Amino acid sequence: MGGNDAPLPMSSDDRPTTRDAAAPRYDHTEVDPRWQQRWDDDGVFRAERRPGREKRYVLDMFPYPSGAGLHVGHPEGYTATDILSRFWRMKGFDVLHPMGWDAFGLPAEQHAIETGTHPAQTTHKNIATFRRQLKMLGFSYDWSREVDTTDPGYVKWTQWIFLQLFQRGLAYQDEVSVNWCSALGTVLSNEEVVDGLSERGHHPVVRTPLRQWMLRITAYADRLLEDLSLVDWPDGTLTAQRNWIGRSEGAEIKFAVDGHGGADVAVFTTRPDTLLGVTYVVLAPEHPLVAKITTPAHKAAVDEYVARSARRSDRDRTAVVKDKTGAPTGALAVHPFTGEKVPIWVADYVLGGYGTGAVMAVPGHDERDFAFAKAFDLPIVEVVSPDGALHGALEEAFVDDGISVRSGEFSGLTTADCMKAVIRRLAEVGRGGSVVSYKLRDWVFSRQRYWGEPIPIYFPVDLEDPNGDPRKGAKHVVRFDQPIPVEAHELPLRLPDLVDFRPGDDPAGPLARAVDWRYFQKDGRWYARETNTMPQWAGSCWYYLRFLDPRNADEAFSPEAYDAWMNVDLYVGGAEHAVLHLLYARFWHKVLFDIGRVKHPEPFRKLVHQGMILGEDNEKMSKSRGNVVNPDDIVKAYGADVLRLYEMFMGPLEAVKPWQKAQIQGVVRFRDRLWAVCGRDAVDGIDEETRRIVHKTIRKVTRDVEAMAFNTAISAMMVLVNHLTALPELPREAACALVLLVAPFAPHVAEELWLKLGHPTSLALEPWPTWDEALCVEDVVEMAVQVNGKVRGKVRLSRTAGEDEAREAALAAEGVAAFTAGKAVRKLIYVPGKIVNLVVG
RNA sequence: GCCGAAGUGGCGGAAUGGCAGACGCGGCGGACUCAAAAUCCGCUACUCGAAAGAGUUUGUGGGUUCGAGUCCCACCUUCGGUACCA
């Protein structure tokens, strides 16, 4: 099945053939590694700035080096960026095209728990596999800039950036409600909790507050939203980021609690105009006022309800939209305008983490409040009318804008006017005002894990016995309220070597057991290091900056290196990172902007997501489905160029598309035909038609590469190969242009052909071919003749033919007369070179 | 539900408002071969027709236009994301 089978013995040495004497097949097992070695030896792809040149920074989302090795999904985006990198080099740009490893993460730690192998060891092995696989595909990375997020030389600067955040008050500690599973001794994500039990092992999970490090990304919410206008990103991704930030304008309104002097329930609403329609107020179960205001008669039921909610994960709480649950507190809220008293309820349809954790319920004009009011038989009042008239009992909530009714002085106002009027009045009576709320929450930045960057913070330790040693179990208290940053010159703070990576019964994580690492004495006082580590996102937040200056030991990157390459001109990666990674990286970038380390407000100018490659069964590739394709197998059988060409020929880069083994044959043939036709003896001189096709192909391929329409570029090159194959002789001019065009896509076969065409040096820096527009056009073209919009005939006409000539030719065209006979031509549409349309009747 | 993307031959897909189906896979026929594979050449949307030819066709229904896969309106389906955000 391979393309390099030895030819079978032939009975005759001069069998007739349309080809030149049987040229040897393209032997990828010999040619591919030879060129890869040569590029490496000659440092062809080392990124360097030269005076007078423009630059391009072409970035891939770097991979997590998993134990499974490279997946066919990886080379899709990587081939796309490699084509552009090679193309831009040939166009004379200085190109920075780096690769590295996002190497912290859970799988290596899980593997360590199961086998005792240190995660660093697993990671190094996996990286070696990934590096080998990427090199075998012939990507033109500048390997001298390779970075690894787990390398102490990298961790140092990740920690340094954390300290910048800490010093600016953007990193802080807070008690956060997490999913704690005591049986597994670990904190679980929402996805890992099903029906209150751990997905693994089905152990009970409770929501419990745990001390966590937080990053104040909300302080940047507005800038993260506004600066989206500065980037060239897919619409869907921009929308996803906007929705995630979730800015909404509204009002905060204070309701006094009856009988609790001074206690207010603040609510957030986007519809202050419906204030007169409030029939009850709802607190989230975790709202601090719940315990305070619940009356003795309702205490037992409310406590029970709050406890029940705590057992449900966020996911479960939000899963069932229909069934509303809740409990009355017995307390009453005082309406800020009317003084009317409405009941205060606790219900988990109100989220503790959004707005103020409390809402004013307007069942007439909010679907959720309506459902709740129906469930608990609470009054529903119409205060916004579509037409200004009063209506009786509402069948459903009316949530659109309209005219305010039953709203006293505000009646008759439109929704927009009423909102303004209510907000003005709220300010007058000191019960609230307009406010902007965000869905975006601060970022929980700590993990109770081993294999991550240690957070470079320590805390004083208070010992019961001043001579005690906390490492030996002396009773002590860690003063988490007094965090102290590690001195910059002491970075990196390295992970201790552990042999046991299992999580313990202590939510502080495995590092808590490394007592010799954790506790240390300074000036006679004991201190304890932070035992939480950073999440995997941390390293990927700034790796694009480290690529600028990856070996710098004195700073994360130098200003010179920054100016030389930033910012990122093209960033390619999966849409699964549309929100989190890209938002976190933008956030860190803006912090670095504020401290003057970077000069662009946004790091990634243009972003493209490659579409997922599905298995042959049209399902997501996965081990369990057994539909995974291994790039090693494809390269072994057909060579690197075929895998690259196939993945680009499958369809548009952004589209989701299934792997189809049979289709590979098409690009194998293309590669072999290219090899065969360009391997013939080239002659000088070229016929007109061939020259036109060559120029048109150069134009098409150039434009398609710039537009990242690689599938159609390959198709155009196939057309040229097919044309050249049919020629009796190979024009050198055509062969050279074709080989250069192919080079970014299939660099190995292109280099080898370039050599055979008589060029001793690599084509990697050869100028990209140019086309002459005048040579692309044909003077006489065949055009369709339509009668009343239907094609009835063909006509050969000069592009410069006038309208009269066109009319005459069209009427005379074969097959047209039958449809025009006896009818008058009422109108003639003539688009030179395109169409003649006779409108008759 | 909301947001986003997409619906075109047997299949992957191509078409600045101007001959729908480029290119490729597969299929059919032919050349080469003792034969097969590989390779090369030709044909290949559907219906009716012996053929010439005619008609139909880009998820559905309307509309704009001399002309619509492409633009507008309404709807259906699939995929991806999101989930009571007040």
Side-chain angles (χ1 to χ4, degrees), chain A residues 269-270 318 324 368 663 669 718 837:
Chain A
T269 178
T270 53
T318 58
K324 295 280 186 281
R368 298 151 301 188
Q663 289 274 344
R669 283 192 194 124
M718 285 173 167
N837 188 6

PDB file of all heavy atoms in Angstrom, chain A residues 269-270 318 324 368 663 669 718 837, chain B residues 19 23-25 40 66 84-86:
ATOM      1  N   THR A 269     -31.297  44.541  39.238  1.00  0.00           N
ATOM      2  CA  THR A 269     -32.302  44.274  38.201  1.00  0.00           C
ATOM      3  C   THR A 269     -31.953  45.040  36.941  1.00  0.00           C
ATOM      4  O   THR A 269     -31.387  46.128  37.001  1.00  0.00           O
ATOM      5  CB  THR A 269     -33.718  44.675  38.659  1.00  0.00           C
ATOM      6  OG1 THR A 269     -34.626  44.424  37.583  1.00  0.00           O
ATOM      7  CG2 THR A 269     -33.795  46.148  39.044  1.00  0.00           C
ATOM      8  N   THR A 270     -32.272  44.424  35.800  1.00  0.00           N
ATOM      9  CA  THR A 270     -32.097  45.148  34.538  1.00  0.00           C
ATOM     10  C   THR A 270     -33.396  45.843  34.160  1.00  0.00           C
ATOM     11  O   THR A 270     -33.456  46.528  33.146  1.00  0.00           O
ATOM     12  CB  THR A 270     -31.724  44.188  33.382  1.00  0.00           C
ATOM     13  OG1 THR A 270     -32.696  43.143  33.340  1.00  0.00           O
ATOM     14  CG2 THR A 270     -30.350  43.603  33.585  1.00  0.00           C
ATOM     15  N   THR A 318     -28.771  24.016  38.312  1.00  0.00           N
ATOM     16  CA  THR A 318     -29.253  24.727  37.137  1.00  0.00           C
ATOM     17  C   THR A 318     -29.820  23.790  36.082  1.00  0.00           C
ATOM     18  O   THR A 318     -30.319  24.240  35.071  1.00  0.00           O
ATOM     19  CB  THR A 318     -28.104  25.540  36.515  1.00  0.00           C
ATOM     20  OG1 THR A 318     -27.053  24.634  36.200  1.00  0.00           O
ATOM     21  CG2 THR A 318     -27.629  26.594  37.459  1.00  0.00           C
ATOM     22  N   LYS A 324     -39.307  24.859  40.333  1.00  0.00           N
ATOM     23  CA  LYS A 324     -38.746  25.842  41.248  1.00  0.00           C
ATOM     24  C   LYS A 324     -38.921  25.353  42.680  1.00  0.00           C
ATOM     25  O   LYS A 324     -39.966  24.813  43.042  1.00  0.00           O
ATOM     26  CB  LYS A 324     -39.467  27.190  41.076  1.00  0.00           C
ATOM     27  CG  LYS A 324     -39.245  27.821  39.715  1.00  0.00           C
ATOM     28  CD  LYS A 324     -37.892  28.522  39.641  1.00  0.00           C
ATOM     29  CE  LYS A 324     -37.719  29.273  38.352  1.00  0.00           C
ATOM     30  NZ  LYS A 324     -37.346  28.383  37.235  1.00  0.00           N
ATOM     31  N   ARG A 368     -38.924  33.347  35.164  1.00  0.00           N
ATOM     32  CA  ARG A 368     -38.529  32.539  36.327  1.00  0.00           C
ATOM     33  C   ARG A 368     -39.369  32.907  37.536  1.00  0.00           C
ATOM     34  O   ARG A 368     -39.852  32.058  38.278  1.00  0.00           O
ATOM     35  CB  ARG A 368     -37.046  32.754  36.616  1.00  0.00           C
ATOM     36  CG  ARG A 368     -36.174  32.301  35.465  1.00  0.00           C
ATOM     37  CD  ARG A 368     -34.911  33.089  35.412  1.00  0.00           C
ATOM     38  NE  ARG A 368     -35.167  34.533  35.249  1.00  0.00           N
ATOM     39  CZ  ARG A 368     -34.238  35.418  35.020  1.00  0.00           C
ATOM     40  NH1 ARG A 368     -32.980  35.048  34.954  1.00  0.00           N
ATOM     41  NH2 ARG A 368     -34.540  36.697  34.882  1.00  0.00           N
ATOM     42  N   GLN A 663      -9.666   8.935   0.654  1.00  0.00           N
ATOM     43  CA  GLN A 663      -9.325  10.206   0.005  1.00  0.00           C
ATOM     44  C   GLN A 663      -7.825  10.446  -0.051  1.00  0.00           C
ATOM     45  O   GLN A 663      -7.352  11.226  -0.876  1.00  0.00           O
ATOM     46  CB  GLN A 663      -9.992  11.355   0.774  1.00  0.00           C
ATOM     47  CG  GLN A 663     -11.500  11.419   0.626  1.00  0.00           C
ATOM     48  CD  GLN A 663     -11.929  12.187  -0.605  1.00  0.00           C
ATOM     49  OE1 GLN A 663     -11.141  12.916  -1.203  1.00  0.00           O
ATOM     50  NE2 GLN A 663     -13.162  12.008  -1.014  1.00  0.00           N
ATOM     51  N   ARG A 669      -1.517  10.385  -5.274  1.00  0.00           N
ATOM     52  CA  ARG A 669      -1.374  10.465  -6.736  1.00  0.00           C
ATOM     53  C   ARG A 669      -0.840  11.825  -7.153  1.00  0.00           C
ATOM     54  O   ARG A 669       0.011  11.929  -8.034  1.00  0.00           O
ATOM     55  CB  ARG A 669      -2.718  10.209  -7.425  1.00  0.00           C
ATOM     56  CG  ARG A 669      -3.058   8.755  -7.426  1.00  0.00           C
ATOM     57  CD  ARG A 669      -4.244   8.432  -8.347  1.00  0.00           C
ATOM     58  NE  ARG A 669      -4.683   7.093  -7.999  1.00  0.00           N
ATOM     59  CZ  ARG A 669      -5.910   6.779  -7.633  1.00  0.00           C
ATOM     60  NH1 ARG A 669      -6.864   7.691  -7.616  1.00  0.00           N
ATOM     61  NH2 ARG A 669      -6.213   5.548  -7.311  1.00  0.00           N
ATOM     62  N   MET A 718      -3.237  20.954  -8.664  1.00  0.00           N
ATOM     63  CA  MET A 718      -3.562  19.681  -9.317  1.00  0.00           C
ATOM     64  C   MET A 718      -3.888  19.923 -10.787  1.00  0.00           C
ATOM     65  O   MET A 718      -3.476  19.156 -11.664  1.00  0.00           O
ATOM     66  CB  MET A 718      -4.763  19.020  -8.628  1.00  0.00           C
ATOM     67  CG  MET A 718      -4.435  18.385  -7.287  1.00  0.00           C
ATOM     68  SD  MET A 718      -5.942  17.810  -6.479  1.00  0.00           S
ATOM     69  CE  MET A 718      -5.242  16.789  -5.168  1.00  0.00           C
ATOM     70  N   ASN A 837     -27.409  37.756 -22.096  1.00  0.00           N
ATOM     71  CA  ASN A 837     -28.773  37.337 -21.780  1.00  0.00           C
ATOM     72  C   ASN A 837     -29.739  38.113 -22.651  1.00  0.00           C
ATOM     73  O   ASN A 837     -29.779  39.339 -22.615  1.00  0.00           O
ATOM     74  CB  ASN A 837     -29.069  37.592 -20.293  1.00  0.00           C
ATOM     75  CG  ASN A 837     -30.401  36.998 -19.857  1.00  0.00           C
ATOM     76  OD1 ASN A 837     -31.057  36.296 -20.624  1.00  0.00           O
ATOM     77  ND2 ASN A 837     -30.803  37.302 -18.639  1.00  0.00           N
TER      78      ASN A 837
ATOM     79  P     C B  19     -21.952  31.408 -14.357  1.00  0.00           P
ATOM     80  OP1   C B  19     -22.767  30.898 -13.250  1.00  0.00           O
ATOM     81  OP2   C B  19     -20.489  31.258 -14.355  1.00  0.00           O
ATOM     82  O5'   C B  19     -22.511  30.825 -15.738  1.00  0.00           O
ATOM     83  C5'   C B  19     -23.903  30.869 -16.020  1.00  0.00           C
ATOM     84  C4'   C B  19     -24.270  29.582 -16.690  1.00  0.00           C
ATOM     85  O4'   C B  19     -23.531  29.483 -17.928  1.00  0.00           O
ATOM     86  C3'   C B  19     -23.914  28.328 -15.891  1.00  0.00           C
ATOM     87  O3'   C B  19     -24.889  27.330 -16.157  1.00  0.00           O
ATOM     88  C2'   C B  19     -22.584  27.903 -16.478  1.00  0.00           C
ATOM     89  O2'   C B  19     -22.325  26.535 -16.354  1.00  0.00           O
ATOM     90  C1'   C B  19     -22.790  28.292 -17.942  1.00  0.00           C
ATOM     91  N1    C B  19     -21.526  28.554 -18.631  1.00  0.00           N
ATOM     92  C2    C B  19     -21.187  27.728 -19.705  1.00  0.00           C
ATOM     93  O2    C B  19     -21.976  26.834 -20.038  1.00  0.00           O
ATOM     94  N3    C B  19     -20.026  27.934 -20.343  1.00  0.00           N
ATOM     95  C4    C B  19     -19.208  28.901 -19.945  1.00  0.00           C
ATOM     96  N4    C B  19     -18.070  29.066 -20.605  1.00  0.00           N
ATOM     97  C5    C B  19     -19.517  29.751 -18.837  1.00  0.00           C
ATOM     98  C6    C B  19     -20.677  29.540 -18.211  1.00  0.00           C
ATOM     99  P     C B  23     -11.761  19.536 -12.877  1.00  0.00           P
ATOM    100  OP1   C B  23     -10.778  19.567 -13.977  1.00  0.00           O
ATOM    101  OP2   C B  23     -12.898  18.597 -12.935  1.00  0.00           O
ATOM    102  O5'   C B  23     -11.000  19.298 -11.507  1.00  0.00           O
ATOM    103  C5'   C B  23      -9.776  19.974 -11.223  1.00  0.00           C
ATOM    104  C4'   C B  23      -9.359  19.694  -9.799  1.00  0.00           C
ATOM    105  O4'   C B  23     -10.289  20.321  -8.879  1.00  0.00           O
ATOM    106  C3'   C B  23      -9.402  18.225  -9.394  1.00  0.00           C
ATOM    107  O3'   C B  23      -8.261  17.519  -9.830  1.00  0.00           O
ATOM    108  C2'   C B  23      -9.474  18.342  -7.875  1.00  0.00           C
ATOM    109  O2'   C B  23      -8.233  18.714  -7.324  1.00  0.00           O
ATOM    110  C1'   C B  23     -10.453  19.504  -7.727  1.00  0.00           C
ATOM    111  N1    C B  23     -11.851  19.026  -7.676  1.00  0.00           N
ATOM    112  C2    C B  23     -12.353  18.554  -6.449  1.00  0.00           C
ATOM    113  O2    C B  23     -11.601  18.563  -5.458  1.00  0.00           O
ATOM    114  N3    C B  23     -13.622  18.097  -6.383  1.00  0.00           N
ATOM    115  C4    C B  23     -14.388  18.100  -7.489  1.00  0.00           C
ATOM    116  N4    C B  23     -15.635  17.646  -7.374  1.00  0.00           N
ATOM    117  C5    C B  23     -13.894  18.569  -8.746  1.00  0.00           C
ATOM    118  C6    C B  23     -12.634  19.016  -8.799  1.00  0.00           C
ATOM    119  P     G B  24      -8.406  16.004 -10.279  1.00  0.00           P
ATOM    120  OP1   G B  24      -7.076  15.581 -10.733  1.00  0.00           O
ATOM    121  OP2   G B  24      -9.582  15.839 -11.163  1.00  0.00           O
ATOM    122  O5'   G B  24      -8.753  15.279  -8.906  1.00  0.00           O
ATOM    123  C5'   G B  24      -7.763  15.163  -7.892  1.00  0.00           C
ATOM    124  C4'   G B  24      -8.380  14.664  -6.615  1.00  0.00           C
ATOM    125  O4'   G B  24      -9.476  15.529  -6.214  1.00  0.00           O
ATOM    126  C3'   G B  24      -9.044  13.301  -6.658  1.00  0.00           C
ATOM    127  O3'   G B  24      -8.107  12.241  -6.689  1.00  0.00           O
ATOM    128  C2'   G B  24      -9.837  13.349  -5.364  1.00  0.00           C
ATOM    129  O2'   G B  24      -8.989  13.242  -4.242  1.00  0.00           O
ATOM    130  C1'   G B  24     -10.391  14.788  -5.431  1.00  0.00           C
ATOM    131  N9    G B  24     -11.717  14.776  -6.063  1.00  0.00           N
ATOM    132  C8    G B  24     -12.082  15.173  -7.320  1.00  0.00           C
ATOM    133  N7    G B  24     -13.362  14.992  -7.550  1.00  0.00           N
ATOM    134  C5    G B  24     -13.863  14.444  -6.381  1.00  0.00           C
ATOM    135  C6    G B  24     -15.177  14.030  -6.021  1.00  0.00           C
ATOM    136  O6    G B  24     -16.210  14.068  -6.707  1.00  0.00           O
ATOM    137  N1    G B  24     -15.222  13.527  -4.726  1.00  0.00           N
ATOM    138  C2    G B  24     -14.151  13.424  -3.888  1.00  0.00           C
ATOM    139  N2    G B  24     -14.391  12.903  -2.683  1.00  0.00           N
ATOM    140  N3    G B  24     -12.924  13.814  -4.200  1.00  0.00           N
ATOM    141  C4    G B  24     -12.855  14.307  -5.451  1.00  0.00           C
ATOM    142  P     C B  25      -8.532  10.845  -7.310  1.00  0.00           P
ATOM    143  OP1   C B  25      -7.315  10.017  -7.334  1.00  0.00           O
ATOM    144  OP2   C B  25      -9.302  11.060  -8.550  1.00  0.00           O
ATOM    145  O5'   C B  25      -9.530  10.257  -6.221  1.00  0.00           O
ATOM    146  C5'   C B  25      -9.056   9.901  -4.925  1.00  0.00           C
ATOM    147  C4'   C B  25     -10.205   9.452  -4.065  1.00  0.00           C
ATOM    148  O4'   C B  25     -11.221  10.485  -4.014  1.00  0.00           O
ATOM    149  C3'   C B  25     -10.970   8.243  -4.578  1.00  0.00           C
ATOM    150  O3'   C B  25     -10.296   7.030  -4.309  1.00  0.00           O
ATOM    151  C2'   C B  25     -12.265   8.376  -3.795  1.00  0.00           C
ATOM    152  O2'   C B  25     -12.091   7.995  -2.444  1.00  0.00           O
ATOM    153  C1'   C B  25     -12.494   9.884  -3.850  1.00  0.00           C
ATOM    154  N1    C B  25     -13.360  10.248  -4.999  1.00  0.00           N
ATOM    155  C2    C B  25     -14.731   9.978  -4.896  1.00  0.00           C
ATOM    156  O2    C B  25     -15.153   9.460  -3.856  1.00  0.00           O
ATOM    157  N3    C B  25     -15.561  10.295  -5.920  1.00  0.00           N
ATOM    158  C4    C B  25     -15.053  10.854  -7.014  1.00  0.00           C
ATOM    159  N4    C B  25     -15.905  11.141  -8.002  1.00  0.00           N
ATOM    160  C5    C B  25     -13.658  11.138  -7.154  1.00  0.00           C
ATOM    161  C6    C B  25     -12.850  10.818  -6.133  1.00  0.00           C
ATOM    162  P     C B  40      -1.407   8.217 -13.528  1.00  0.00           P
ATOM    163  OP1   C B  40      -0.885   9.565 -13.245  1.00  0.00           O
ATOM    164  OP2   C B  40      -2.623   7.738 -12.824  1.00  0.00           O
ATOM    165  O5'   C B  40      -1.663   8.078 -15.079  1.00  0.00           O
ATOM    166  C5'   C B  40      -0.652   8.435 -16.003  1.00  0.00           C
ATOM    167  C4'   C B  40      -1.064   8.020 -17.390  1.00  0.00           C
ATOM    168  O4'   C B  40      -1.171   6.568 -17.447  1.00  0.00           O
ATOM    169  C3'   C B  40      -2.443   8.490 -17.815  1.00  0.00           C
ATOM    170  O3'   C B  40      -2.426   9.831 -18.275  1.00  0.00           O
ATOM    171  C2'   C B  40      -2.767   7.499 -18.926  1.00  0.00           C
ATOM    172  O2'   C B  40      -2.064   7.800 -20.108  1.00  0.00           O
ATOM    173  C1'   C B  40      -2.215   6.213 -18.334  1.00  0.00           C
ATOM    174  N1    C B  40      -3.236   5.451 -17.571  1.00  0.00           N
ATOM    175  C2    C B  40      -4.156   4.669 -18.287  1.00  0.00           C
ATOM    176  O2    C B  40      -4.081   4.646 -19.530  1.00  0.00           O
ATOM    177  N3    C B  40      -5.090   3.968 -17.612  1.00  0.00           N
ATOM    178  C4    C B  40      -5.143   4.025 -16.288  1.00  0.00           C
ATOM    179  N4    C B  40      -6.079   3.314 -15.670  1.00  0.00           N
ATOM    180  C5    C B  40      -4.226   4.817 -15.534  1.00  0.00           C
ATOM    181  C6    C B  40      -3.295   5.512 -16.215  1.00  0.00           C
ATOM    182  P     C B  66     -35.308  43.294 -13.552  1.00  0.00           P
ATOM    183  OP1   C B  66     -34.959  44.505 -14.320  1.00  0.00           O
ATOM    184  OP2   C B  66     -36.697  43.095 -13.044  1.00  0.00           O
ATOM    185  O5'   C B  66     -34.913  42.025 -14.414  1.00  0.00           O
ATOM    186  C5'   C B  66     -35.731  41.627 -15.506  1.00  0.00           C
ATOM    187  C4'   C B  66     -35.021  40.548 -16.293  1.00  0.00           C
ATOM    188  O4'   C B  66     -33.851  41.124 -16.939  1.00  0.00           O
ATOM    189  C3'   C B  66     -34.445  39.427 -15.442  1.00  0.00           C
ATOM    190  O3'   C B  66     -35.412  38.448 -15.141  1.00  0.00           O
ATOM    191  C2'   C B  66     -33.343  38.889 -16.349  1.00  0.00           C
ATOM    192  O2'   C B  66     -33.864  38.074 -17.374  1.00  0.00           O
ATOM    193  C1'   C B  66     -32.803  40.180 -16.966  1.00  0.00           C
ATOM    194  N1    C B  66     -31.662  40.739 -16.210  1.00  0.00           N
ATOM    195  C2    C B  66     -30.411  40.106 -16.296  1.00  0.00           C
ATOM    196  O2    C B  66     -30.298  39.079 -16.971  1.00  0.00           O
ATOM    197  N3    C B  66     -29.368  40.618 -15.627  1.00  0.00           N
ATOM    198  C4    C B  66     -29.518  41.733 -14.898  1.00  0.00           C
ATOM    199  N4    C B  66     -28.459  42.204 -14.262  1.00  0.00           N
ATOM    200  C5    C B  66     -30.772  42.393 -14.796  1.00  0.00           C
ATOM    201  C6    C B  66     -31.813  41.870 -15.463  1.00  0.00           C
ATOM    202  P     C B  84     -28.207  28.444  34.756  1.00  0.00           P
ATOM    203  OP1   C B  84     -27.321  28.494  35.889  1.00  0.00           O
ATOM    204  OP2   C B  84     -29.089  27.253  34.527  1.00  0.00           O
ATOM    205  O5'   C B  84     -29.101  29.755  34.705  1.00  0.00           O
ATOM    206  C5'   C B  84     -29.889  30.037  33.569  1.00  0.00           C
ATOM    207  C4'   C B  84     -31.210  30.588  34.062  1.00  0.00           C
ATOM    208  O4'   C B  84     -31.929  29.533  34.723  1.00  0.00           O
ATOM    209  C3'   C B  84     -31.038  31.720  35.060  1.00  0.00           C
ATOM    210  O3'   C B  84     -31.849  32.810  34.668  1.00  0.00           O
ATOM    211  C2'   C B  84     -31.539  31.135  36.372  1.00  0.00           C
ATOM    212  O2'   C B  84     -32.160  32.074  37.146  1.00  0.00           O
ATOM    213  C1'   C B  84     -32.517  30.078  35.882  1.00  0.00           C
ATOM    214  N1    C B  84     -32.749  29.007  36.826  1.00  0.00           N
ATOM    215  C2    C B  84     -34.063  28.791  37.252  1.00  0.00           C
ATOM    216  O2    C B  84     -34.973  29.503  36.795  1.00  0.00           O
ATOM    217  N3    C B  84     -34.312  27.804  38.144  1.00  0.00           N
ATOM    218  C4    C B  84     -33.309  27.067  38.601  1.00  0.00           C
ATOM    219  N4    C B  84     -33.596  26.121  39.472  1.00  0.00           N
ATOM    220  C5    C B  84     -31.961  27.277  38.180  1.00  0.00           C
ATOM    221  C6    C B  84     -31.734  28.250  37.295  1.00  0.00           C
ATOM    222  P     C B  85     -31.350  33.770  33.529  1.00  0.00           P
ATOM    223  OP1   C B  85     -32.474  34.688  33.362  1.00  0.00           O
ATOM    224  OP2   C B  85     -30.797  33.039  32.388  1.00  0.00           O
ATOM    225  O5'   C B  85     -30.142  34.549  34.191  1.00  0.00           O
ATOM    226  C5'   C B  85     -30.382  35.554  35.159  1.00  0.00           C
ATOM    227  C4'   C B  85     -29.188  36.478  35.228  1.00  0.00           C
ATOM    228  O4'   C B  85     -28.105  35.787  35.875  1.00  0.00           O
ATOM    229  C3'   C B  85     -28.665  36.926  33.865  1.00  0.00           C
ATOM    230  O3'   C B  85     -28.234  38.260  33.965  1.00  0.00           O
ATOM    231  C2'   C B  85     -27.474  36.013  33.621  1.00  0.00           C
ATOM    232  O2'   C B  85     -26.475  36.611  32.860  1.00  0.00           O
ATOM    233  C1'   C B  85     -26.964  35.771  35.047  1.00  0.00           C
ATOM    234  N1    C B  85     -26.303  34.473  35.205  1.00  0.00           N
ATOM    235  C2    C B  85     -24.951  34.444  35.578  1.00  0.00           C
ATOM    236  O2    C B  85     -24.367  35.506  35.774  1.00  0.00           O
ATOM    237  N3    C B  85     -24.345  33.250  35.737  1.00  0.00           N
ATOM    238  C4    C B  85     -25.019  32.125  35.516  1.00  0.00           C
ATOM    239  N4    C B  85     -24.388  30.983  35.689  1.00  0.00           N
ATOM    240  C5    C B  85     -26.386  32.133  35.125  1.00  0.00           C
ATOM    241  C6    C B  85     -26.981  33.322  34.974  1.00  0.00           C
ATOM    242  P     A B  86     -29.071  39.330  33.156  1.00  0.00           P
ATOM    243  OP1   A B  86     -29.323  38.859  31.793  1.00  0.00           O
ATOM    244  OP2   A B  86     -28.296  40.533  33.394  1.00  0.00           O
ATOM    245  O5'   A B  86     -30.467  39.453  33.900  1.00  0.00           O
ATOM    246  C5'   A B  86     -30.598  40.364  34.942  1.00  0.00           C
ATOM    247  C4'   A B  86     -31.935  40.179  35.586  1.00  0.00           C
ATOM    248  O4'   A B  86     -32.039  38.814  36.066  1.00  0.00           O
ATOM    249  C3'   A B  86     -32.101  41.044  36.827  1.00  0.00           C
ATOM    250  O3'   A B  86     -32.646  42.315  36.526  1.00  0.00           O
ATOM    251  C2'   A B  86     -33.018  40.214  37.707  1.00  0.00           C
ATOM    252  O2'   A B  86     -34.357  40.375  37.312  1.00  0.00           O
ATOM    253  C1'   A B  86     -32.540  38.804  37.393  1.00  0.00           C
ATOM    254  N9    A B  86     -31.473  38.366  38.300  1.00  0.00           N
ATOM    255  C8    A B  86     -30.485  39.093  38.897  1.00  0.00           C
ATOM    256  N7    A B  86     -29.691  38.398  39.648  1.00  0.00           N
ATOM    257  C5    A B  86     -30.182  37.127  39.539  1.00  0.00           C
ATOM    258  C6    A B  86     -29.793  35.915  40.100  1.00  0.00           C
ATOM    259  N6    A B  86     -28.760  35.793  40.917  1.00  0.00           N
ATOM    260  N1    A B  86     -30.488  34.823  39.798  1.00  0.00           N
ATOM    261  C2    A B  86     -31.531  34.941  38.967  1.00  0.00           C
ATOM    262  N3    A B  86     -32.013  36.019  38.372  1.00  0.00           N
ATOM    263  C4    A B  86     -31.288  37.088  38.701  1.00  0.00           C
TER     264        A B  86
END
